[in-house]
Amino acid sequence: MNAADLSPLARIRDDVRAMHAYPVADATGYLKMDAMENPFGLPPALQAALGQRLGALALNRYPGTRQNDLKAALVAYAGAPGGSALILGNGSDELISLVQLACARQGSGAPAKVLAPAPGFVMYAMCAQQHGLQYVGVELDEEFQLREQAMLDAIAAHRPAITFLAYPNNPTATLWDEAVVQRIVDAAGAQGGIVVMDEAYQPFASCSWIDRMRAEPARNAHVLLMRTLSKFGLAGVRLGYLIGPAALVQEIDKLRPPYNVSVLNCEAALFALEHAEVFAQQAAELREARTELLAALRAMPGITKVWDSQANMVLVRVPDAARAFEGMRARKVLVKNVSTMHPLLAGCLRLTVGSRQDNAQMLAALEASL
């Protein structure tokens, strides 16, 4: 036995040691337009009311039945189909992890497979690697639309335990054709797979898959609908939720840490739902700002391509993404350089849709950096 074998690091899985941690940039002193956050805070009167409620909580006690109140409020808010159950998560990231953790290995003992369109949300692949599952990415076309036959062929070949469909997609802000998505959902269900419909950006999209779940419950009996309050306007609260058929949800819930959502998170979420109209107005303002931002980007010299958006982000292609990103950072504006995430994203930046004032500052920085 050599000295390296005696190091505590030798006890860490080799694949974990080869991983890279998810980076979160320090945004101090910058206009932060890289994470699709809601730019609007609570009005002062609501800040005071929320502060009183949080201050009165029994922080000396573990979370209790108040979480049931939050579940009921979210079921009502989402319009969940009859017979549904709901799991709360510490953001949607934890829910992605729990669904993958719950999946059995294949009959041969081989790792279960996770399938998703690519480029897509990085946590699908990261969680698969963490849990020892095999990730299969199926490339979108050059306009970031689903290649239906490629998806159907991949489902038939790999028989994935889980198929993730981000609706709308991140980082492309694409809302795919409903009929195409349903055929992919059907194909995944026909071979016994689970489909996770990730609706993180639902407040900014023109439709929701929950309508299909209500209209055709049997056809969508293997679908789990995942959302987060981050894009609702509570990114700092870290609260996600998963809705689906009770029998399926209850199995996944067995893996949830018993106190994964704090009393502070729970109460803040309940408070926000009681004032949902405030957040709905903020989302409406951001959708209007998105329309203006898209028009301004399409009129800007030097931008190669601007894609339509159904989220609070816009994907653009520029001649030199690294140069534009660094130029904007030098001008104290942070956006996301996604150009190296996937070959289809070459030359692309992802821009958050913010307030009109934030958007104007971002546009000025971008134009000066091209």
Side-chain angles (χ1 to χ4, degrees):
M1 182 177 295
N2 59 43
D5 294 328
L6 297 175
S7 167
L9 288 175
R11 300 298 183 181
I12 305 297
R13 286 168 21 202
D14 290 342
D15 61 322
V16 172
R17 294 171 68 180
M19 291 178 190
H20 297 285
Y22 190 99
V24 179
D26 182 2
T28 305
Y30 290 84
L31 174 63
K32 196 171 189 299
M33 304 294 280
D34 63 343
M36 288 81 71
E37 294 156 320
N38 183 332
F40 306 114
L42 281 175
L46 292 185
Q47 290 182 24
L50 176 60
Q52 283 191 323
R53 276 177 61 166
L54 296 183
L57 293 174
L59 299 182
N60 56 316
R61 303 294 184 188
Y62 286 111
T65 57
R66 191 65 166 149
Q67 290 193 6
N68 294 332
D69 297 334
L70 177 56
K71 289 181 182 181
L74 286 167
V75 164
Y77 172 76
S84 296
L86 184 146
I87 306 174
L88 299 174
N90 191 313
S92 59
D93 294 343
E94 183 180 40
L95 296 170
I96 293 168
S97 180
L98 290 177
V99 174
Q100 294 196 19
L101 187 61
C103 283
R105 301 180 77 82
Q106 296 180 344
S108 62
K113 294 181 180 180
V114 173
L115 186 143
F121 187 37
V122 297
M123 291 305 296
Y124 307 149
M126 285 185 67
C127 285
Q129 185 178 13
Q130 290 165 5
H131 296 308
L133 277 63
Q134 182 179 340
Y135 173 77
V136 178
V138 181
E139 281 198 355
L140 300 169
D141 68 18
E142 292 184 353
E143 290 300 314
F144 302 118
Q145 297 300 315
L146 289 167
R147 294 191 299 129
E148 180 179 357
Q149 194 56 52
M151 287 290 293
L152 297 177
D153 290 346
I155 288 169
H158 295 284
R159 301 180 61 83
I162 312 164
T163 299
F164 284 97
L165 296 170
Y167 194 76
N169 190 40
N170 174 15
T172 65
T174 317
L175 189 65
W176 297 309
D177 180 84
E178 189 174 305
V180 173
V181 172
Q182 183 67 71
R183 288 192 288 271
I184 291 167
V185 168
D186 292 344
Q191 53 84 37
I194 296 167
V195 174
V196 177
M197 199 69 65
D198 184 351
E199 290 197 343
Y201 299 91
Q202 185 275 328
F204 309 100
S206 57
C207 62
S208 167
W209 200 257
I210 206 152
D211 296 327
R212 297 295 292 251
M213 293 170 71
R214 283 197 301 264
E216 297 184 273
R219 197 175 183 184
N220 291 279
H222 57 296
V223 175
L224 298 171
L225 185 89
M226 184 172 66
R227 291 183 180 175
T228 174
L229 292 187
S230 292
K231 312 312 171 187
F232 180 85
L234 302 177
V237 170
R238 304 305 301 133
L239 197 138
Y241 57 103
L242 191 75
I243 297 171
L248 184 56
V249 168
Q250 286 163 6
E251 293 302 318
I252 298 165
D253 196 37
K254 294 175 182 177
L255 298 171
R256 178 184 55 83
Y259 304 123
N260 65 325
V261 175
S262 78
V263 294
L264 292 166
N265 298 38
C266 179
E267 201 64 34
L270 276 165
F271 182 87
L273 291 171
E274 291 166 14
H275 300 280
E277 72 284 352
V278 173
F279 296 92
Q281 179 55 45
Q282 292 176 354
E285 185 172 339
L286 289 172
R287 290 193 298 269
E288 292 176 4
R290 179 181 65 194
T291 300
E292 297 167 4
L293 178 61
L294 285 167
L297 288 165
R298 286 179 171 136
M300 186 179 293
I303 292 184
T304 309
K305 175 82 174 179
V306 181
W307 280 270
D308 289 335
S309 170
Q310 286 274 319
N312 63 334
M313 58 181 148
V314 175
L315 189 72
V316 300
R317 176 165 284 139
V318 297
D320 187 336
R323 179 177 180 272
F325 171 79
E326 291 297 341
M328 295 182 76
R329 186 164 66 171
R331 291 169 176 85
K332 298 298 182 181
V333 177
L334 286 180
V335 296
K336 186 75 170 179
N337 180 3
V338 297
S339 62
T340 61
M341 286 176 55
H342 189 279
L344 288 173
L345 293 169
C348 288
L349 301 174
R350 189 191 66 195
L351 316 177
T352 296
V353 178
S355 67
R356 287 177 171 87
Q357 180 180 351
D358 289 348
N359 291 343
Q361 185 179 343
M362 178 175 65
L363 285 166
L366 175 58
E367 187 168 22
S369 302
L370 291 173

